[in-house]
Amino acid sequence: MSSISRRQLMFAATGIAAVAAAPRLVFAQAAAPAPAADPTGPFTLPPLTYPTNAFEPHIDARTMEIHHGKHHAAYVANLNNVAKTNPQLGTAKIENVLGNLNALDDSIKFTVRNNLGGHANHTMFWEIMGPNGGKPEGEVLAAIDRDLGGMEKFQNDFNAAGGRQFGSGWVFVTVSKDGKLAIETRPNQDTPMMDGKRALMGNDVWEHAYYLNYQNRRADYLKAWWNTVNWAKIAERYAAAKAGTLGV
């Protein structure tokens, strides 16, 4: 083989190596930051009524900080951005908007569905949790026995439904105006309010709710979460549902 041929082969090999290396350089570049959402407006992030470490070891403080202060806060900020050009969103009842999404303009329907649904779901979530939450009693316990087969069966069925929810979503206990309970799941940030129903309680099975502590062990998180439930608050929500005044 001539020396020229060998030199040509060397150049060709160098070119191939450069092309092979190029994707690594491209993938290493940081994506351009998204425009910052506006945290000010008609929608507000509800403050936690307990410290972020209140549920350790069941839910760690860092997860609570990120879940409340980053994820929920982002839904609120996104809603405030939309409300700048759609001020009616800030004056309407959340349950009315979510119960009539088809009335929204197509340009905002998807954003409102995800972010207002996320805001409503998380507002409920923080409310029905609390340290030293006690046990269900009175009308709530009677409804669990009547409609869900008793506390043990209820917890097992609720956990199983949450475990079966593919990908991100929620597991809820819905409550009708006559006090009847049912277990239902929803994908993403959808809520029972989208079907004209109300959630008595619910658990977030998005990975951001548990991944720092439990990684892929969603079943362990679902079981541990019962240690965070505030049954006195759930009793208040049950009474409000029967009175027709339960919102988010």
Side-chain angles (χ1 to χ4, degrees):
M1 182 179 291
S2 69
S3 59
I4 295 177
S5 296
R6 285 195 300 271
R7 189 178 301 112
Q8 289 172 336
L9 283 175
M10 290 175 63
F11 288 155
T14 302
I16 292 171
V19 171
R24 289 195 293 271
L25 295 175
V26 171
F27 293 140
Q29 293 174 356
D38 191 346
T40 61
F43 296 95
T44 58
L45 180 68
L48 297 178
T49 59
Y50 37 76
T52 55
N53 65 354
F55 304 125
E56 291 186 342
H58 312 295
I59 302 177
D60 61 286
R62 185 59 179 153
T63 292
M64 290 292 294
E65 291 165 3
I66 296 171
H67 197 171
H68 177 263
K70 301 294 184 182
H71 290 282
H72 189 174
Y75 300 135
V76 171
N78 290 336
L79 288 169
N80 285 330
N81 271 358
V82 177
K84 289 177 181 178
T85 52
N86 298 271
Q88 73 279 9
L89 291 176
T91 58
K93 289 185 176 180
I94 290 175
E95 55 268 33
N96 291 344
V97 176
L98 290 173
N100 197 22
L101 286 170
N102 286 332
L104 298 177
D105 188 272
D106 286 345
S107 64
I108 64 169
K109 187 185 301 182
F110 184 74
T111 299
V112 173
R113 180 180 191 135
N114 289 337
N115 290 281
L116 191 59
H119 178 45
N121 285 340
H122 283 87
T123 298
M124 174 275 300
F125 188 62
W126 311 127
E127 180 181 295
I128 58 104
M129 292 165 59
N132 306 313
K135 296 180 179 180
E137 52 188 36
E139 285 194 322
V140 172
L141 181 58
I144 290 172
D145 289 340
R146 180 191 67 227
D147 301 328
L148 302 176
M151 194 64 187
E152 182 176 359
K153 185 177 187 303
F154 160 46
Q155 288 181 312
N156 288 338
D157 290 348
F158 186 92
N159 290 349
R164 288 193 302 268
Q165 174 57 43
F166 184 77
S168 301
W170 289 74
V171 53
F172 295 100
V173 175
T174 59
V175 55
S176 64
K177 194 169 180 179
D178 62 2
K180 185 174 178 59
L181 306 181
I183 297 172
E184 301 184 13
T185 58
R186 294 290 189 282
N188 302 315
Q189 292 297 350
D190 284 5
T191 99
M193 284 183 284
M194 294 173 181
D195 301 320
K197 301 178 181 180
R198 293 292 181 269
L200 175 66
M201 58 185 290
N203 192 3
D204 187 348
V205 296
W206 283 63
E207 286 186 340
H208 65 231
Y210 62 86
Y211 203 79
L212 290 184
N213 220 16
Y214 295 93
Q215 288 80 52
N216 65 325
R217 304 189 309 277
R218 183 189 288 182
D220 291 346
Y221 160 72
L222 284 161
K223 291 176 182 177
W225 177 78
W226 290 100
N227 293 286
T228 74
V229 174
N230 183 345
W231 287 103
K233 181 57 68 173
I234 290 172
E236 292 178 14
R237 292 178 64 84
Y238 187 77
K242 294 185 70 175
T245 60
L246 181 62
V248 298

